[in-house]
């Protein structure tokens, strides 16, 4: 039986898995372990895949920043990151040296976004923005059925923001302080602003209205620039059920009837693939490489 491989490479946890090439949703085996430095972690990844002879292709969805430019000398590398033992690590090269099969190399958000496109909330549309709001804020953008990659992968978590009138918080982005989306809305920014973790903030806390204001503002920017069919919010923060309806309401207020968009309950959505999105995306991307 021929298999597909998945490596969901997170900053705190790695998930590796294999599924059937003819049926990527059928997961044959799956393992996860804490992320150590590059070398130690990839040893565990390789030990897992060593058990399987018939792997057609492997999808890798990695935390970033990573080099995704095929013509670059450091293509396949993890770029400068505060994570110890990863800056300048040749992730893809290490895998190719182990076994020279096709690899789909992309960002973690592209992986999860692609899963939503193939079998989740966005499976019937061709233009999607998938935004994850967790430890950081990142986006996978699908345009006409393909992941958008220009000079490099998008970093749509760092778009500039107009501050909420009641927000005194100085922001958490090391590059942009309180001027960008990530600096104002990521989980650690919420915790620093309000003095408690987002998951402990009650539903009636003003934090959620402010969070919705910023995420709606981001949705407005993506709407104006990309005109997608759907915007999906994933990651830890949008787990809060009250948030999506609040984003829809704020979006309509801020858009002020300027642009027509699909009905709000279809246009602004949350993920459907849940915790499997990361590895499913890897399988689906790997499958695109199998002739
Ligand atoms: Zn920033």
């Amino acid at each position: 039986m021929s298999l597909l491989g998945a490596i969901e490479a997170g900053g705190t946890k790695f998930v590796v898995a294999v599924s059937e090439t003819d049926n990527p949703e059928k997961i044959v085996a799956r393992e996860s372990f804490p992320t150590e430095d590059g070398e130690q972690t990839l040893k565990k990844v390789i030990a897992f895949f060593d058990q399987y002879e018939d792997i057609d292709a492997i999808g890798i969805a990695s935390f970033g920043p990573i080099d995704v430019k095929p013509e670059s000398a450091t293509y396949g590398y993890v770029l400068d990151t505060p994570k110890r033992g990863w800056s300048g690590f040749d992730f893809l090269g290490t895998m190719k040296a182990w076994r020279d099969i096709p690899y789909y190399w992309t960002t973690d958000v592209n992986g999860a976004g692609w899963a939503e496109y193939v079998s989740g909330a966005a499976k019937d549309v061709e233009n999607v923005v998938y935004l994850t709001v967790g430890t950081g804020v990142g986006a996978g953008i699908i345009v006409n059925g393909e992941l958008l990659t220009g000079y490099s992968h998008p970093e749509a978590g760092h778009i500039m923001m107009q501050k909420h009138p009641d927000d005194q918080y100085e922001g958490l982005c090391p590059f942009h302080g309180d001027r960008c989306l990530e600096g104002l809305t990521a989980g650690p920014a919420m915790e620093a602003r309000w003095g408690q973790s987002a998951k402990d903030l009650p539903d009636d806390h003003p934090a959620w209205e402010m969070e919705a204001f910023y995420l709606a503002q981001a949705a407005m920017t993506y709407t104006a620039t990309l005109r997608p069919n759907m915007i999906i919010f994933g990651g830890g923060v949008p787990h809060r059920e009250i948030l999506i309806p609040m984003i829809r309401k704020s979006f309509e207020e801020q858009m002020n009837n300027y642009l027509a968009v699909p009905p709000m309950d279809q246009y602004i959505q949350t993920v459907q693939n849940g915790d499997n999105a990361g590895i499913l995306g890897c399988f689906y991307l790997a499958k695109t490489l199998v002739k």
Side-chain angles (χ1 to χ4, degrees):
M1 179 175 56
S2 61
L3 299 169
L4 298 171
I7 306 175
E8 183 188 357
T12 51
K13 186 181 76 169
F14 262 58
V15 184
V16 288
V18 287
S19 74
E20 295 178 7
T21 300
D22 294 334
N23 188 6
E25 280 108 13
K26 187 132 186 250
I27 297 168
V28 174
R30 171 193 174 120
E31 234 176 68
S32 74
F33 35 84
T35 308
E36 300 170 67
D37 64 23
E39 206 172 308
Q40 290 306 319
T41 309
L42 276 254
K43 266 187 195 154
K44 290 185 181 167
V45 169
I46 285 168
F48 172 79
F49 288 114
D50 259 337
Q51 304 171 84
Y52 306 96
E53 279 304 313
D54 272 338
I55 302 176
D56 292 320
I58 294 179
I60 307 173
S62 176
F63 73 92
I66 60 174
D67 190 338
V68 294
K69 296 193 290 273
E71 70 281 8
S72 163
T74 53
Y75 175 68
Y77 283 55
V78 177
L79 301 174
D80 279 340
T81 166
K83 220 163 155 50
R84 209 172 48 81
W86 284 97
S87 286
F89 179 73
D90 185 4
F91 193 140
L92 183 59
T94 304
M95 293 308 298
K96 276 185 177 292
W98 163 73
R99 201 181 283 179
D100 196 12
I101 56 175
Y103 293 88
Y104 200 108
W105 166 249
T106 192
T107 60
D108 46 5
V109 281
N110 272 351
W114 190 255
E116 289 299 315
Y117 170 69
V118 177
S119 71
K123 71 173 183 289
D124 298 318
V125 301
E126 292 290 294
N127 296 283
V128 188
V129 175
Y130 169 83
L131 195 77
T132 177
V133 187
T135 315
V137 178
I141 299 171
I142 293 160
V143 176
N144 299 332
E146 287 186 22
L147 284 167
L148 177 67
T149 309
Y151 182 67
S152 185
H153 55 80
E155 282 291 358
H158 294 265
I159 56 172
M160 297 293 106
M161 285 281 113
Q162 181 164 39
K163 264 186 111 168
H164 190 285
D166 298 335
D167 192 5
Q168 306 301 319
Y169 176 54
E170 69 271 24
L172 207 70
C173 177
F175 298 94
H176 313 117
D178 66 353
R179 289 178 298 123
C180 81
L181 177 63
E182 177 171 296
L184 290 168
T185 64
M190 289 190 83
E191 183 162 352
R193 180 193 286 111
W194 302 108
Q196 53 186 323
S197 164
K199 67 179 188 319
D200 298 328
L201 292 164
D203 279 356
D204 60 359
H205 194 284
W208 297 110
E209 189 268 325
M210 192 178 283
E211 187 77 359
F213 168 83
Y214 287 127
L215 295 176
Q217 197 183 136
M220 231 180 81
T221 296
Y222 306 139
T223 299
T225 51
L226 297 159
R227 293 300 260 144
N229 306 100
M230 187 182 290
I231 299 173
I232 303 173
F233 289 90
V237 173
H239 267 179
R240 184 64 60 107
E241 269 179 37
I242 53 155
L243 188 60
I244 299 294
M246 290 171 89
I247 297 170
R248 289 174 182 150
K249 184 164 171 281
S250 182
F251 177 89
E252 289 192 303
E253 285 165 8
Q254 295 186 65
M255 182 55 88
N256 198 23
N257 289 320
Y258 173 53
L259 292 172
V261 293
M264 257 317 112
D265 59 341
Q266 293 168 33
Y267 188 54
I268 291 179
Q269 295 212 28
T270 189
V271 290
Q272 281 182 11
N273 280 316
D275 293 339
N276 269 338
I279 57 165
L280 272 181
C282 294
F283 289 138
Y284 296 143
L285 288 167
K287 176 124 185 177
T288 66
L289 303 175
V290 179
K291 300 288 176 275

